[in-house]
Amino acid sequence: MPEPSFQQILDGTLQAIRALPTIVPAAGRLAGFRNFQSPAAQLLNRYDNFHYSMGDAFYRYGVSGIAAKAAGNVSPDKPAAANELLRGIASTYREVAAYFSRYGRAAAEAAHRAPAAEQSRLQAIADNLNCLAARPPQSFEQALQLFYLMWSIRGMNRCSCIGRLDVRLKPFYEQDKQAGRIDAETVFALICELWEHLNGWGSGDTLMNVMVGGSNPDGSDASSDLSKLMLEASIAVGKTEPHLNVRCHRQIRPDVLEAACRLQ
């Protein structure tokens, strides 16, 4: 069987994203899907071994921002293959933004139909999705939502490595904490909710590896409140996923190390 062309792979990618479901959660704050099956998703799985974690550009630029940067870098001075790749990136991220918008509409419609007690929760989900369709995440909750959707879209029906989630989300947590918009109890509940979602994808040799702690590039300690909260969430949820790995060193926060010992 011949290898598909770049255009065939791109068309399959766009087709798969357009078919993704918009399941509005019956409880909690994080929207998402599990184990989406399609021929297009199977094609994509041939080109990703899922053992490495995703990049972090979508936290900085948002999906629409990545699409705009890719499209803006197309140039007649570049080789045709480079421009083809850039256009493909732009098309893919525009499709992801359209999916977020579609998902936001579904959540807003659910809020409109819901009993009064449920309307604010569902509308918050819709607001988060609509923001993420147009902009980078503006809060910890939006950053967590963005991670879960991007991680899910990557595999569609496969699990993949997660990486240094505490480091990636730390700026959003600290920004919200300093502004008084969030507290540790709320963050803990959101992480527990994410862990429950991840357990719904399966258990065992899933590659759902989360690394917490470690060092920053300058050698300083990278462990944080989020590192501890992720360990505490794993203790509270009491299930196998995700697999938490702790990078220990002499400067690690004692409370993070203590939580890691309790988890073991």
Side-chain angles (χ1 to χ4, degrees):
M1 182 177 178
E3 284 292 308
S5 67
F6 177 85
Q7 190 60 50
Q8 288 172 320
I9 296 170
L10 176 59
D11 290 345
T13 301
L14 301 180
Q15 177 186 344
I17 296 170
R18 288 173 190 140
L20 288 173
T22 55
I23 302 166
V24 180
R29 307 272 292 194
L30 298 177
F33 62 88
R34 296 174 187 167
N35 299 312
F36 175 70
Q37 302 287 339
S38 78
Q42 294 295 335
L43 172 65
L44 298 180
N45 288 346
R46 294 170 57 183
Y47 300 96
D48 190 340
N49 68 14
F50 302 105
H51 284 72
Y52 58 91
S53 58
M54 297 183 294
D56 60 0
F58 53 80
Y59 295 117
R60 290 198 305 277
Y61 304 115
V63 293
S64 290
I66 292 175
K69 286 183 77 68
N73 276 316
V74 173
S75 166
D77 298 329
K78 288 186 170 70
N83 283 330
E84 182 182 39
L85 178 60
L86 287 166
R87 292 190 184 98
I89 292 169
S91 297
T92 300
Y93 277 88
R94 278 195 293 264
E95 202 61 56
V96 172
Y99 171 58
F100 289 176
S101 292
R102 188 165 72 250
Y103 214 150
R105 288 194 298 273
E109 290 167 4
H112 181 72
R113 297 191 302 268
E118 279 288 277
Q119 287 177 359
S120 63
R121 178 183 71 86
L122 293 169
Q123 189 58 53
I125 293 170
D127 292 344
N128 286 340
L129 291 165
N130 288 330
C131 176
L132 293 173
R135 296 191 292 167
Q138 304 296 301
S139 67
F140 174 82
E141 185 174 313
Q142 288 182 4
L144 197 67
Q145 175 68 89
L146 179 59
F147 159 76
Y148 182 50
L149 285 175
M150 295 300 288
W151 180 88
S152 302
I153 291 169
R154 176 189 181 182
M156 297 198 180
N157 57 23
R158 294 276 302 275
C159 300
S160 63
C161 186
I162 294 170
R164 303 186 74 183
L165 194 58
D166 59 341
V167 172
R168 300 289 183 255
L169 296 176
K170 183 180 177 182
F172 302 97
Y173 168 75
E174 291 188 338
Q175 174 183 289
D176 280 3
K177 183 180 178 182
Q178 289 170 7
R181 291 191 294 263
I182 206 165
D183 55 33
E185 183 179 352
T186 301
V187 173
F188 175 74
L190 285 168
I191 295 171
C192 286
E193 184 180 344
L194 175 62
W195 276 199
E196 292 284 6
H197 277 295
L198 294 175
N199 275 281
W201 284 75
S203 64
D205 187 17
T206 60
L207 300 178
M208 285 191 270
N209 302 313
V210 173
M211 186 70 68
V212 300
S215 300
N216 294 311
D218 64 1
S220 61
D221 179 31
S223 62
S224 66
D225 291 351
L226 281 181
S227 310
K228 184 174 186 293
L229 287 168
M230 288 179 182
L231 290 162
E232 296 288 358
S234 289
I235 294 169
V237 171
K239 297 179 181 178
T240 60
E241 307 301 327
H243 308 154
L244 259 69
N245 305 269
V246 183
R247 287 180 170 177
C248 297
H249 55 94
R250 291 182 180 180
Q251 294 176 302
I252 191 171
R253 278 176 40 166
D255 59 340
V256 172
L257 184 58
E258 187 272 338
C261 292
R262 281 190 289 109
L263 177 58
Q264 293 303 314

